[in-house]
Amino acid sequence: MKCWRWLLAAGVLALASCGGGGGGSGGSGAGNAPNILFVIMDDVGIDQMASFGYGGDTPPPMPNMNAVAAAGVRFRNTWSMPECSPGRAAFFVGRYPVRTNIYQAIGPNDLAQSQVSPYDLTVPKLLKQAGYESGMFGKFHLAGPENNQAGNATPAVLGWDYFYGWIGGVPASIDSTAGGIAAARTYACGFVPPGTAAGGADSGACYQPDGSCTRMSRTSAGQDAAGLQCLAAGGILVPGQACGTPPSSLVFDRENAYYVSPLVIVQDGNAEQVPLTDARARGYRTRIEADAAIAWIRSRTPGKPWMATVSFSAAHTPLQQPPGSLVPQSGGALKDALDCTATLQGRVIQNQMTEAMDSEFGRILVETGIAKRGADGSLSYDPRASNTMIVIVGDNGSLGSSVKLPFNPQLAKGTTYQTGIWDPLIVAGPKVESPGRDVEHMVNMVDVFQLFGELAGIDVHKAVPRTVDSVALLPYLTTTGQGSLRTINFAQSGFNTQANGGRNGPCVISTSCTQIPMTKSVCEDNAGVWWGRGYTDPSVVANGGAGYGGCCQVNQALFRSGQSMVSIVPEISSAIRNERFKVVRNTTQTYDTAADSCSPVTTNEFYEIDQATPVPLLDNPDRNLLLAPLSLDQQRTYSQLSAQLDELLASDPACTGDGNKDGVVDAQDLASVQGLVTNWGFSSVYDFAGGDGLTNAADLQVVQQNLGRTCPKTHGVY
């Protein structure tokens, strides 16, 4: 087994061995190990997927992924976690949130204890044992850059040889000034709309950051707006003007959702923050992600295996229209009538963003030689024509406003109900026997971690020095009659660790309150009203600018002011199931109007669920079996699942002082904490004393006091 220490010495991150035995590849070498193309769709749950039998009346067009699904295996019973970061940590480290301490999307206030640890054996570190090179393109959202010693270099610390994308992950808000040409809130889509819309124009001068200019125009309803053409080309359109001296109001160093983004490139351990004025940081984000992946894959040395992770940002909010060339099937829907704030049109834009992602996925396959185009332009994919395995996943369920019926938009992303955690998983390639089939057995995204090891010939549970929650996936690919390898499935959400017990501020969306959005801007990008510190909406009950610490306090303020209270999205949630039944456990701080106080209330719910198409049995509240007396068999199942849930939630007790989680507090921990105290001082996995976001003498003392302590290895529950 390998152990690593990351120290900041003389301003440079250095990697040092902590000793220990070796974990070998146990089989397949570089000569015959398959390449791996791993594709992550953001906020695309199974409810969106026509290839899985769902998608409602208006599924997003996904012809390229449909072609790969038809030539591979569709895992129709896969759970992820309810939000981005815990879902991604699941398949990159093979461990549940109860072990990683990543319970929700990582935000700028979350400490290192709720980020993927530099000591974790991630997929790229695992595959290095079999000679793989690893690149990631697009959204990272696993660690940093805030509250992390590595900053923008976190992909290198976690094992990736090359990274090209966005560390923080979530796209910024739409720039409603369209680059400074108008007042705020003028252009809700981030660009000048067609001349048929208010304030629109069909032509203008498209200025670039270097001062160059091109005249752009829209001559027919079939074209993108001149403003969108210019934005996609990296520029800012000044409507109705000819090229000349650019207006002084133009702002090129302002983010604009999917079109102007803070690109980071990490190579050989060095991180480059690309300025927003650089052409590389400008253009449609999904296209940039695909371009980078194509370039890297095509530059690989023949015969050396690689894994390319294309972590698409789409279709995460803010919803912003893609270039028309990427949406050939639905592109005409928004050519003239643009209102990016309208709910119905937002659903159309979300479909288009998913379609654009599918278009770029198809381009990756064709331009890297993994697939071809047929005479009619459709994707022609032969899984045995290349030595590349394709794995496609969703990171969590769909956002409520985008959910397709009959799935429940009220119990979507951010919850452990089926709509929030039931995700697509497609695997295709030369190792798949009898392609074009479905697997109905329970799978968890932690199992994808083990699949990557299996493809490389690595015994994952021997190679990883910590508890791994995964079970095998490869047998489902190679044996058509493979029985279920899981007896239970599990998902979990909650709060990440912030300094001094802090939490995300409350966000009221319609009549519900949630603390999922990491910041005020993310709240507002999801049509919410921010009630935390720095609130600005006049509907917030004023409290001198301090804001409210949680949703319960929002209800307290509403009640005291004589207004209707809001429902609260479960703050801490977990779910467990067997093949037929599911238990959901929710904890929420609830306001007691009589006592005028907040206190946690925990409830259990019990459901029968299935994967029927097109209408599955879902865990909607009216189907809670606990609303009526249970049969003896139901009571037995409910008790068993509840006990297993208790066991799993308690299966990783704290081990104070063991920052690298190798099961013992020893000289390695002492050296690591001493280095951090001397060379860093801020948030780290060794911040044991009070969780104040500092690694200081108090944390050093905690490690010293616990030297020699041995912690038993925790156990997985499958």
Side-chain angles (χ1 to χ4, degrees), residues 38-382:
F38 183 36
V39 177
I40 306 169
M41 304 181 290
D42 200 327
D43 288 0
V44 178
I46 202 169
D47 64 290
Q48 306 286 326
M49 305 292 290
S51 59
F52 283 77
Y54 306 113
D57 294 332
T58 57
M62 305 177 72
N64 298 300
M65 289 190 182
N66 290 348
V68 173
V73 173
R74 295 171 294 270
F75 289 88
R76 296 194 63 258
N77 192 359
T78 303
W79 276 11
S80 186
M81 301 301 138
E83 296 184 47
C84 308
S85 300
R88 291 159 192 268
F91 46 65
F92 280 126
V93 301
R95 291 152 57 79
Y96 292 141
V98 69
R99 306 189 208 292
T100 64
N101 199 45
I102 303 172
Y103 294 102
Q104 62 184 156
I106 296 170
N109 296 319
D110 294 333
L111 300 181
Q113 294 101 315
S114 284
Q115 303 178 22
V116 174
S117 168
Y119 302 99
D120 260 318
L121 189 61
T122 59
V123 166
K125 290 180 183 179
L126 178 72
L127 293 186
K128 275 184 172 63
Q129 299 178 11
Y132 276 74
E133 295 177 309
S134 296
M136 180 188 278
F137 313 92
K139 177 177 176 177
F140 190 62
H141 218 184
L142 292 167
E146 296 89 1
N147 298 310
N148 193 299
Q149 185 188 17
N152 280 331
T154 50
V157 171
L158 297 185
W160 276 274
D161 300 300
Y162 185 75
F163 175 80
Y164 196 105
W166 337 103
I167 301 295
V170 178
S173 299
I174 290 173
D175 175 18
S176 61
T177 75
I181 66 166
R185 301 183 182 87
T186 301
Y187 296 121
C189 298
F191 57 87
V192 179
T196 52
D202 287 329
S203 64
C206 180
Y207 289 97
Q208 299 292 336
D210 62 4
S212 62
C213 179
T214 305
R215 177 77 172 173
M216 287 196 171
S217 62
R218 175 180 185 262
T219 59
S220 71
Q223 285 184 290
D224 287 339
L228 180 55
Q229 293 178 44
C230 179
L231 185 61
I236 297 173
L237 186 82
V238 179
Q241 293 190 14
C243 291
T245 302
S248 59
S249 63
L250 299 191
V251 182
F252 288 99
D253 60 353
R254 178 182 296 159
E255 293 181 55
N256 189 353
Y258 275 76
Y259 285 93
V260 184
S261 302
L263 179 67
V264 173
I265 303 171
V266 184
Q267 189 169 17
D268 299 325
N270 299 312
E272 177 190 2
Q273 174 70 67
V274 177
L276 295 177
T277 54
D278 190 307
R280 293 173 295 174
R282 308 180 70 85
Y284 187 55
R285 195 159 166 155
T286 303
R287 181 174 284 160
I288 292 172
E289 292 159 348
D291 283 342
I294 291 166
W296 186 82
I297 292 171
R298 293 175 66 172
S299 69
R300 294 307 87 210
T301 301
K304 186 173 179 61
W306 51 261
M307 177 175 175
T309 296
V310 186
S311 180
F312 285 116
S313 302
H316 198 287
T317 54
L319 302 179
Q320 194 172 31
Q321 186 180 5
S325 61
L326 299 183
V327 287
Q329 296 191 41
S330 64
L334 292 173
K335 291 300 182 188
D336 289 295
L338 287 169
D339 182 2
C340 293
T341 63
T343 300
L344 180 60
Q345 198 156 85
R347 295 176 70 86
V348 175
I349 295 173
Q350 191 269 349
N351 266 13
Q352 289 194 340
M353 293 169 70
T354 306
E355 180 185 357
M357 174 178 60
D358 180 80
S359 294
E360 291 296 76
F361 165 72
R363 185 167 68 90
I364 291 170
L365 297 188
V366 172
E367 294 192 13
T368 59
I370 298 172
K372 300 178 180 179
R373 288 288 176 197
D376 61 355
S378 63
L379 191 74
S380 176
Y381 171 63
D382 178 358

Side-chain angles (χ1 to χ4, degrees), residues 7-13 679:
L7 299 178
L8 191 65
V12 179
L13 273 169
N679 299 305

Side-chain angles (χ1 to χ4, degrees), residues 423-506:
D423 282 282
L425 169 59
I426 300 167
V427 183
K431 290 190 177 293
V432 174
E433 296 296 329
S434 303
R437 54 189 169 90
D438 296 324
V439 170
E440 301 288 342
H441 299 306
M442 291 182 292
V443 170
N444 194 285
M445 285 300 178
V446 295
D447 303 336
V448 173
F449 174 84
Q450 182 154 335
L451 173 63
F452 295 140
E454 291 171 323
L455 293 174
I458 298 171
D459 185 330
V460 169
H461 286 267
K462 287 185 178 180
V464 180
R466 297 182 179 84
T467 300
V468 176
D469 293 299
S470 63
V471 302
L473 274 186
L474 187 61
Y476 293 122
L477 305 181
T478 58
T479 305
T480 57
Q482 176 64 49
S484 179
L485 297 173
R486 279 189 166 274
T487 60
I488 61 101
N489 213 343
F490 174 75
Q492 185 180 22
S493 68
F495 291 110
N496 285 344
T497 301
Q498 297 183 1
N500 304 311
R503 291 177 175 177
N504 294 341

Side-chain angles (χ1 to χ4, degrees), residues 76-79 418 421-422 440-443 486-491 575-584 607-611 617 637 641 644-645 718:
R76 296 194 63 258
N77 192 359
T78 303
W79 276 11
Q418 290 294 88
I421 59 175
W422 187 7
E440 301 288 342
H441 299 306
M442 291 182 292
V443 170
R486 279 189 166 274
T487 60
I488 61 101
N489 213 343
F490 174 75
I576 193 168
R577 68 165 293 181
N578 60 20
E579 288 288 354
R580 184 178 170 190
F581 292 98
K582 174 180 182 179
V583 171
V584 178
Y607 298 96
E608 183 177 6
I609 54 176
D610 67 18
Q611 296 79 244
L617 285 179
T637 300
L641 285 174
Q644 288 176 307
L645 181 58
Y718 314 115

